[in-house]
């Protein structure tokens, strides 16, 4: 059986907000700072097809895929053409296009978290193939129906750097039951929707010192210790899309 810990779905598409993580590294400018630095000089009034193709190739070579929302204008400029604007002047058609170019040039200028992305990707692929070609014994967990019905032959890996450089191998697009792995995802969505102050008025941030499924609350206030124990995870789920009908709330997490 392939190791279940390696079964991962495609990671969430990076957003411009993801780049704020760089700000914590004093030796590396954040993507937003790099984009701002470049924006003054990179808002080109026009860019021909050859230059556009070159920029697309550089982005792909470094792991920035076509569904990255930061670069949708670059990969799909035809959707942003104003009527009568020639292709050679596509970057005059939309401020969003110009901003994508500025950000792309700033990010590619580096330093990137994975500077030799293709080399890194080949290394991970060799490890993946070594594991995929191994023989595994054992069986899937049977104490939960969703786990018992899992296909033990599936094996996939997805990778995303802090810059949003991505690639996937194997059965990476197959849905699978995340179980407790969804706890940080649900918590993050709640933070995104409601903010830290609201979320932590319902969920604490203290270690419980007990098992993950222990029924206990903080003394004061009477809330779950943290979002990673079951009580806190249930509270996180209750905060996601709380004004939406149940079917839409589920889709909010799933998508």
């Amino acid at each position: 059986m392939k190791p279940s810990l390696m079964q991962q779905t495609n990671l969430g598409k990076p957003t411009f907000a993801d780049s704020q993580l760089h700000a914590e590294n004093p030796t590396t400018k954040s993507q937003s700072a790099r984009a701002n630095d470049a924006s003054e000089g990179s808002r080109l009034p026009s860019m021909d097809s050859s230059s556009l193709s070159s920029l697309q190739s550089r982005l792909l070579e470094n792991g920035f895929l076509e569904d990255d929302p930061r670069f949708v204008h670059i990969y799909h400029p035809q959707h942003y053409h104003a009527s009568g604007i020639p292709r050679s002047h596509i970057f005059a058609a939309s401020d969003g296009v110009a901003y994508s170019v500025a950000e792309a040039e700033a990010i590619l200028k580096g330093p990137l978290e994975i500077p030799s992305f293709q080399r890194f990707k080949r290394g991970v692929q060799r490890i993946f193939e070594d594991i995929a070609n191994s023989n595994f014994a054992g069986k899937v967990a049977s104490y939960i129906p969703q786990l018992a019905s899992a296909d033990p032959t599936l094996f996939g890996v997805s990778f995303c750097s802090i810059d949003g450089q991505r690639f996937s191998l194997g059965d990476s697009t197959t849905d699978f039951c995340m179980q407790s792995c969804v706890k940080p995802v649900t918590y993050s969505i709640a933070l995104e929707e409601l903010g830290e102050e609201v979320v932590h008025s319902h969920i604490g941030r203290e270690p419980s010192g007990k098992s993950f499924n222990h029924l206990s609350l903080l003394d004061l206030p009477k809330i779950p210790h943290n979002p990673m124990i079951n009580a806190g995870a249930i509270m996180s789920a209750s905060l996601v899309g709380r004004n939406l009908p149940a079917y839409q709330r589920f889709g909010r997490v799933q998508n």
Side-chain angles (χ1 to χ4, degrees):
M1 186 185 78
K2 306 295 188 295
S4 60
L5 285 178
M6 294 297 289
Q7 282 187 309
Q8 301 181 29
T9 190
N10 275 332
L11 298 172
K13 300 181 184 69
T15 64
F16 185 67
D18 295 331
S19 65
Q20 302 304 314
L21 293 172
H22 267 300
E24 298 179 4
N25 185 344
T27 63
T28 305
K29 277 194 173 183
S30 69
Q31 289 181 15
S32 59
R34 296 202 298 262
N36 289 336
D37 288 348
S39 62
E40 293 301 321
S42 297
R43 289 179 178 270
L44 302 178
S46 66
M47 177 176 278
D48 57 31
S49 298
S50 176
S51 298
L52 175 62
S53 178
S54 174
L55 182 57
Q56 291 171 341
S57 297
R58 289 165 59 203
L59 286 168
L60 288 171
E61 179 74 13
N62 284 281
F64 299 104
L65 305 185
E66 293 187 20
D67 59 354
D68 190 320
R70 296 171 297 178
F71 309 123
V72 65
H73 305 319
I74 294 174
Y75 284 122
H76 308 288
Q78 65 275 13
H79 299 311
Y80 300 90
H81 287 177
S83 177
I85 300 289
R87 183 175 179 83
S88 62
H89 289 79
I90 57 175
F91 292 101
S94 165
D95 288 342
V97 174
Y99 187 75
S100 288
V101 174
E103 185 174 7
E105 293 289 0
I107 289 174
L108 291 173
K109 188 179 296 184
L112 292 170
E113 287 298 320
I114 311 294
S116 301
F117 187 73
Q118 294 302 318
R119 178 182 177 186
F120 174 82
K121 183 177 176 179
R122 288 193 296 271
V124 174
Q125 185 158 4
R126 284 195 296 270
I127 296 172
F128 175 85
E129 291 171 353
D130 287 345
I131 297 174
N133 293 327
S134 301
N135 294 319
F136 293 90
K139 58 183 181 180
V140 296
S142 60
Y143 59 92
I144 295 176
Q146 289 89 341
L147 298 181
S149 64
D151 182 351
T153 66
L154 294 176
F155 181 42
V157 171
S158 287
F159 170 86
C160 181
S161 77
I162 195 172
D163 282 321
Q165 300 164 278
R166 292 180 292 142
F167 71 91
S168 297
L169 300 168
D171 303 303
S172 60
T173 61
T174 302
D175 291 342
F176 66 97
C177 186
M178 293 181 68
Q179 294 293 305
S180 283
C181 293
V182 79
K183 290 177 179 177
V185 177
T186 308
Y187 170 58
S188 297
I189 295 173
L191 286 174
E192 183 180 72
E193 291 186 352
L194 301 174
E196 183 178 354
E197 183 176 354
V198 173
V199 170
H200 283 292
S201 68
H202 297 280
I203 311 170
R205 53 187 116 201
E206 302 294 335
S208 68
K210 304 181 185 298
S211 64
F212 72 96
N213 58 353
H214 191 271
L215 296 176
S216 62
L217 299 173
L218 286 167
D219 292 334
L220 287 175
K222 291 290 186 179
I223 59 176
H225 287 75
N226 61 71
M228 299 302 119
I229 60 174
N230 282 2
I234 292 171
M235 184 62 76
S236 292
S238 73
L239 295 173
V240 172
R242 55 183 178 175
N243 295 321
L244 299 175
Y247 73 95
Q248 291 183 356
R249 298 176 73 182
F250 179 77
R252 177 80 175 94
V253 176
Q254 187 179 38
N255 296 326

